[in-house]
Amino acid sequence: MTARFQSIAPGARLADQVADALAAEVRSGRLSEGDRLPTEAALAAQFGVSRTVVREAVSRLKSLGLLDSRQGSGVYVRAAGVEPLRFEMPHVASREAVIQMVELRRALEAEVAALAAERRTPDDVQRIRAAIDALHAAVAAGGNGAEEDVRFHRAIAEAARNPFLIGTLQYLRQFLHGATRVTRANEARRADFAREVAQEHARIVEAIEAGDALRAREAAKSHMDNAIRRIEQADPAFWQQEGAQLARPLVEGWPVGS
């Protein structure tokens, strides 16, 4: 195996960076099933890190099922398969905080959508349509659309015409926006996720425009259920990178697991 890696830059945990670089080689196929990794000393020299860092990175990839040790022979790439979702505690906390916040959104957004379907005016529908158009434009321009997503759901909440619901959403704004940034970042990594979200939003808008409260409630609930599923299916590397960083305000500011 002749892969040559770049030296690691200081910043994020070195072991995380080494693990991400090795995992990228495996997932891309540049390192394929049965390939043997360079020795620990060789990897340390290539990455410009200590052997301890390499050892930690390799151990992490073994736990994810990407690598396997053969006694007296070395470390090899394992056969491709479904990777188990295993997280270190900070990543578990990040993931659970986002799921818990989406569960809260599910209860609120379902009722908001139903009320919006009952009470919307033509002007409300126009504002909701404009918000969804802005979201599509942001995604088409290469963004993840997090802020536009928030404004879309805000337009629906305003159509519900319940100041207490709007006040509750405003009170929870920091956490709701934080969860949205995480879910949108995860969804932007996969085209199938992005398509699902667009279709789910369309169903919510269509039900509200049709004045069908039951269908709007179910569409909003299904959207949140699917958001949880997409978080549960996120690549473990997502939590080792931007996922954990984006979720930090939730982990630090919310009693996760209580």
Side-chain angles (χ1 to χ4, degrees):
M1 204 282 294
T2 59
R4 176 73 173 109
F5 298 99
Q6 299 294 319
S7 295
I8 293 297
R13 290 191 67 225
L14 296 178
D16 289 345
Q17 295 186 67
V18 172
D20 288 345
L22 289 171
E25 293 294 306
V26 173
R27 294 189 180 106
S28 69
R30 288 187 292 270
L31 280 174
S32 57
E33 177 188 349
D35 283 346
R36 183 164 64 91
L37 261 61
T39 65
E40 191 176 276
L43 285 173
Q46 290 185 27
F47 282 113
V49 298
S50 70
R51 294 177 63 169
T52 301
V53 168
V54 171
R55 196 174 303 125
E56 182 180 347
V58 169
S59 175
R60 185 167 305 160
L61 295 184
K62 288 179 185 176
S63 73
L64 293 174
L66 293 178
L67 301 176
D68 191 26
S69 289
R70 299 178 190 174
Q71 189 171 4
S73 179
V75 177
Y76 291 80
V77 177
R78 291 189 61 179
V82 178
E83 297 175 16
L85 290 178
R86 299 179 183 173
F87 300 91
E88 296 177 2
M89 284 309 297
H91 304 145
V92 171
S94 298
R95 178 174 175 271
E96 291 308 308
V98 175
I99 289 175
Q100 289 168 3
M101 188 52 58
V102 176
E103 289 171 346
L104 174 60
R105 283 191 66 191
R106 179 173 58 196
L108 292 171
E109 299 284 0
E111 188 59 27
V112 164
L115 292 174
E118 293 175 351
R119 301 172 180 175
R120 85 281 182 271
T121 66
D123 285 344
D124 290 326
V125 172
Q126 185 176 357
R127 280 191 291 271
I128 292 170
R129 287 284 183 189
I132 202 70
D133 288 345
L135 174 54
H136 291 161
V139 172
N144 64 30
E147 295 306 315
E148 291 79 10
D149 190 297
V150 169
R151 285 194 283 271
F152 164 64
H153 286 282
R154 172 74 187 198
I156 295 174
E158 290 171 350
R161 286 185 168 70
N162 183 318
F164 293 101
L165 271 175
I166 293 175
T168 300
L169 292 169
Q170 184 63 26
Y171 176 75
L172 295 170
R173 181 177 182 275
Q174 171 190 350
F175 302 108
L176 296 175
H177 285 204
T180 300
R181 282 191 289 269
V182 177
T183 57
R184 293 295 306 193
N186 175 52
E187 290 155 1
R189 294 163 67 98
R190 286 180 51 171
D192 57 336
F193 283 178
R195 283 193 300 270
E196 287 177 4
V197 173
Q199 292 165 359
E200 290 160 19
H201 282 165
R203 284 192 284 270
I204 295 170
V205 174
E206 289 166 3
I208 291 172
E209 190 167 10
D212 190 331
L214 289 176
R215 183 154 58 97
R217 179 183 285 111
E218 182 54 37
K221 177 182 178 298
S222 177
H223 177 43
M224 293 297 126
D225 287 339
N226 288 329
I228 292 172
R229 172 182 54 79
R230 287 186 285 265
I231 282 295
E232 291 174 339
Q233 293 177 354
D235 189 324
F238 172 71
W239 296 107
Q240 295 171 358
Q241 300 166 4
E242 59 184 326
Q245 181 179 356
L246 290 170
R248 187 172 298 132
L250 298 178
V251 176
E252 294 174 349
W254 199 255
V256 179
S258 62

